[in-house]
Short mmCIF file of all heavy atoms in Angstrom, two decimals:
data_model
loop_
_atom_site.label_atom_id
_atom_site.label_comp_id
_atom_site.label_asym_id
_atom_site.label_seq_id
_atom_site.Cartn_x
_atom_site.Cartn_y
_atom_site.Cartn_z
N GLY A 12 -14.23 -3.09 13.74
CA GLY A 12 -15.32 -4.00 13.38
C GLY A 12 -15.14 -4.52 11.96
O GLY A 12 -16.12 -4.84 11.26
N ALA A 13 -13.86 -4.61 11.54
CA ALA A 13 -13.54 -4.93 10.14
C ALA A 13 -13.98 -6.34 9.74
O ALA A 13 -14.12 -6.63 8.54
CB ALA A 13 -12.03 -4.78 9.91
N THR A 14 -14.24 -7.21 10.71
CA THR A 14 -14.63 -8.57 10.38
C THR A 14 -16.16 -8.74 10.38
O THR A 14 -16.66 -9.85 10.15
CB THR A 14 -14.06 -9.57 11.42
OG1 THR A 14 -14.39 -9.08 12.73
CG2 THR A 14 -12.55 -9.67 11.30
N GLY A 15 -16.91 -7.66 10.64
CA GLY A 15 -18.34 -7.75 10.69
C GLY A 15 -19.03 -7.50 9.35
O GLY A 15 -18.36 -7.22 8.34
N ALA A 16 -20.37 -7.63 9.37
CA ALA A 16 -21.15 -7.45 8.13
C ALA A 16 -20.94 -6.04 7.54
O ALA A 16 -20.75 -5.89 6.35
CB ALA A 16 -22.63 -7.67 8.44
N VAL A 17 -20.94 -5.02 8.43
CA VAL A 17 -20.75 -3.63 7.94
C VAL A 17 -19.27 -3.41 7.61
O VAL A 17 -18.93 -2.81 6.57
CB VAL A 17 -21.23 -2.61 8.97
CG1 VAL A 17 -20.94 -1.19 8.54
CG2 VAL A 17 -22.76 -2.76 9.22
N GLY A 18 -18.38 -3.85 8.50
CA GLY A 18 -16.96 -3.64 8.31
C GLY A 18 -16.45 -4.22 6.99
O GLY A 18 -15.64 -3.59 6.29
N SER A 39 -10.69 -5.48 15.38
CA SER A 39 -11.83 -6.29 15.82
C SER A 39 -11.72 -6.54 17.30
O SER A 39 -10.91 -5.91 17.98
CB SER A 39 -11.86 -7.62 15.06
OG SER A 39 -10.80 -8.44 15.57
N SER A 40 -12.50 -7.52 17.81
CA SER A 40 -12.30 -7.94 19.20
C SER A 40 -11.18 -8.98 19.21
O SER A 40 -10.66 -9.34 18.15
CB SER A 40 -13.58 -8.57 19.75
OG SER A 40 -13.74 -9.88 19.26
N ARG A 42 -11.48 -12.01 19.58
CA ARG A 42 -11.93 -13.24 18.88
C ARG A 42 -11.34 -13.34 17.47
O ARG A 42 -10.93 -14.41 17.05
CB ARG A 42 -13.47 -13.29 18.73
CG ARG A 42 -14.21 -13.57 19.99
CD ARG A 42 -15.72 -13.57 19.71
NE ARG A 42 -16.23 -12.24 19.29
CZ ARG A 42 -16.61 -11.29 20.13
NH1 ARG A 42 -16.55 -11.52 21.43
NH2 ARG A 42 -17.05 -10.15 19.69
N SER A 43 -11.30 -12.24 16.73
CA SER A 43 -10.87 -12.29 15.34
C SER A 43 -9.45 -11.80 15.14
O SER A 43 -8.98 -11.76 14.01
CB SER A 43 -11.81 -11.47 14.45
OG SER A 43 -13.07 -12.07 14.37
N ALA A 60 -8.72 -4.26 18.84
CA ALA A 60 -8.83 -2.81 19.02
C ALA A 60 -8.50 -2.43 20.45
O ALA A 60 -8.99 -3.05 21.40
CB ALA A 60 -10.24 -2.36 18.67
N SER A 74 -17.71 0.39 13.42
CA SER A 74 -18.98 -0.34 13.33
C SER A 74 -18.81 -1.63 14.13
O SER A 74 -18.77 -2.74 13.56
CB SER A 74 -19.42 -0.62 11.90
OG SER A 74 -18.53 -1.52 11.28
N ALA A 75 -18.69 -1.49 15.45
CA ALA A 75 -18.50 -2.67 16.28
C ALA A 75 -19.45 -2.62 17.48
O ALA A 75 -19.20 -3.25 18.53
CB ALA A 75 -17.05 -2.74 16.76
N GLY A 76 -20.54 -1.90 17.36
CA GLY A 76 -21.54 -1.79 18.45
C GLY A 76 -21.28 -0.56 19.31
O GLY A 76 -20.18 0.01 19.33
N GLY A 77 -22.36 -0.16 19.99
CA GLY A 77 -22.33 1.09 20.76
C GLY A 77 -21.31 1.09 21.87
O GLY A 77 -20.67 2.10 22.14
N VAL A 79 -18.47 -0.46 22.15
CA VAL A 79 -17.10 -0.28 21.64
C VAL A 79 -16.85 1.17 21.26
O VAL A 79 -15.80 1.76 21.56
CB VAL A 79 -16.85 -1.24 20.42
CG1 VAL A 79 -15.47 -0.99 19.83
CG2 VAL A 79 -17.01 -2.69 20.82
N ASN A 97 -20.70 4.40 13.19
CA ASN A 97 -21.91 3.79 12.64
C ASN A 97 -22.90 3.35 13.69
O ASN A 97 -23.94 2.81 13.34
CB ASN A 97 -21.48 2.56 11.85
CG ASN A 97 -21.79 2.71 10.40
OD1 ASN A 97 -22.94 2.48 9.99
ND2 ASN A 97 -20.82 3.11 9.61
N THR A 98 -22.61 3.53 14.95
CA THR A 98 -23.54 3.04 15.99
C THR A 98 -24.43 4.17 16.50
O THR A 98 -24.23 5.35 16.15
CB THR A 98 -22.76 2.47 17.20
OG1 THR A 98 -22.28 3.54 17.99
CG2 THR A 98 -21.58 1.62 16.75
N ARG A 102 -25.29 9.54 18.25
CA ARG A 102 -26.08 10.20 17.22
C ARG A 102 -26.87 11.42 17.67
O ARG A 102 -26.98 12.40 16.95
CB ARG A 102 -27.05 9.20 16.58
CG ARG A 102 -26.39 8.22 15.67
CD ARG A 102 -27.41 7.28 15.04
NE ARG A 102 -26.73 6.17 14.38
CZ ARG A 102 -27.18 4.92 14.33
NH1 ARG A 102 -28.36 4.63 14.89
NH2 ARG A 102 -26.50 3.98 13.74
N ASN A 128 -22.95 8.36 11.81
CA ASN A 128 -23.66 7.86 10.64
C ASN A 128 -25.04 7.42 11.14
O ASN A 128 -25.12 6.67 12.08
CB ASN A 128 -22.87 6.64 10.11
CG ASN A 128 -23.35 6.13 8.79
OD1 ASN A 128 -22.96 6.64 7.76
ND2 ASN A 128 -24.19 5.11 8.81
N PRO A 129 -26.12 7.90 10.53
CA PRO A 129 -27.43 7.55 11.03
C PRO A 129 -27.76 6.08 10.91
O PRO A 129 -27.05 5.29 10.28
CB PRO A 129 -28.39 8.38 10.15
CG PRO A 129 -27.54 9.45 9.53
CD PRO A 129 -26.19 8.84 9.39
N ASN A 130 -28.89 5.69 11.51
CA ASN A 130 -29.42 4.34 11.37
C ASN A 130 -29.76 4.06 9.92
O ASN A 130 -30.21 4.96 9.19
CB ASN A 130 -30.66 4.19 12.26
CG ASN A 130 -31.28 2.82 12.17
OD1 ASN A 130 -32.22 2.62 11.40
ND2 ASN A 130 -30.74 1.90 12.90
N CYS A 131 -29.59 2.80 9.49
CA CYS A 131 -29.81 2.41 8.13
C CYS A 131 -31.21 2.82 7.62
O CYS A 131 -31.37 3.32 6.51
CB CYS A 131 -29.62 0.91 7.97
SG CYS A 131 -30.23 -0.06 9.34
N SER A 161 -29.59 -8.91 7.55
CA SER A 161 -28.19 -8.52 7.62
C SER A 161 -27.98 -7.27 8.44
O SER A 161 -26.87 -7.00 8.94
CB SER A 161 -27.59 -8.34 6.22
OG SER A 161 -28.32 -7.34 5.53
N GLY A 162 -29.03 -6.50 8.67
CA GLY A 162 -28.93 -5.32 9.53
C GLY A 162 -28.68 -5.68 10.98
O GLY A 162 -28.28 -4.85 11.79
N GLY A 164 -26.51 -8.09 11.79
CA GLY A 164 -25.15 -8.64 11.87
C GLY A 164 -25.03 -9.98 11.18
O GLY A 164 -26.00 -10.63 10.81
N ALA A 165 -23.76 -10.39 11.02
CA ALA A 165 -23.44 -11.60 10.27
C ALA A 165 -24.05 -12.86 10.93
O ALA A 165 -24.52 -13.75 10.26
CB ALA A 165 -21.91 -11.73 10.14
N GLY A 329 -27.16 2.28 3.68
CA GLY A 329 -27.56 2.27 5.10
C GLY A 329 -26.41 2.30 6.09
O GLY A 329 -26.62 2.57 7.27
N ALA A 330 -25.19 2.00 5.63
CA ALA A 330 -24.07 1.92 6.60
C ALA A 330 -22.74 2.27 5.94
O ALA A 330 -22.31 3.42 5.97
CB ALA A 330 -24.04 0.54 7.24
P1 LIG B 1 -21.44 -8.01 13.14
O1 LIG B 1 -21.50 -8.62 11.80
O2 LIG B 1 -21.89 -8.75 14.32
O3 LIG B 1 -19.91 -7.53 13.40
C1 LIG B 1 -19.47 -6.96 14.59
C2 LIG B 1 -18.05 -6.47 14.46
O4 LIG B 1 -17.67 -5.77 15.64
C3 LIG B 1 -17.05 -7.56 14.26
O5 LIG B 1 -15.97 -7.14 13.48
C4 LIG B 1 -16.58 -7.81 15.71
O6 LIG B 1 -15.29 -8.39 15.79
C5 LIG B 1 -16.50 -6.39 16.18
N1 LIG B 1 -16.49 -6.33 17.63
C6 LIG B 1 -17.38 -6.89 18.48
N2 LIG B 1 -16.98 -6.64 19.76
C7 LIG B 1 -15.87 -5.90 19.71
C8 LIG B 1 -14.98 -5.35 20.68
N3 LIG B 1 -15.20 -5.48 21.99
N4 LIG B 1 -13.90 -4.66 20.25
C9 LIG B 1 -13.65 -4.48 18.94
N5 LIG B 1 -14.44 -5.00 17.98
C10 LIG B 1 -15.53 -5.70 18.36
O7 LIG B 1 -22.25 -6.64 13.19
P2 LIG B 1 -22.51 -5.56 12.05
O8 LIG B 1 -23.78 -5.84 11.38
O9 LIG B 1 -21.27 -5.43 11.19
O10 LIG B 1 -22.73 -4.26 12.89
C11 LIG B 1 -21.71 -3.72 13.68
C12 LIG B 1 -22.26 -2.46 14.35
O11 LIG B 1 -22.47 -1.46 13.35
C13 LIG B 1 -23.61 -2.65 15.03
O12 LIG B 1 -23.48 -3.11 16.32
C14 LIG B 1 -24.23 -1.31 14.92
O13 LIG B 1 -23.89 -0.50 16.02
C15 LIG B 1 -23.61 -0.74 13.67
N6 LIG B 1 -24.56 -0.85 12.53
C16 LIG B 1 -25.01 0.29 12.06
C17 LIG B 1 -25.86 0.26 11.01
C18 LIG B 1 -26.41 1.53 10.53
O14 LIG B 1 -27.55 1.60 10.33
N7 LIG B 1 -25.68 2.57 10.30
C19 LIG B 1 -26.28 -0.91 10.44
C20 LIG B 1 -25.80 -2.07 10.93
C21 LIG B 1 -24.93 -2.01 12.02
P3 LIG B 1 -15.10 -10.00 16.00
O15 LIG B 1 -15.03 -10.59 14.64
O16 LIG B 1 -13.84 -10.07 16.75
O17 LIG B 1 -16.29 -10.48 16.78
#
Side-chain angles (χ1 to χ4, degrees):
T14 51
V17 175
S39 72
S40 79
R42 287 180 296 274
S43 292
S74 67
V79 177
N97 243 280
T98 78
R102 286 182 192 145
N128 189 84
N130 179 264
C131 39
S161 59

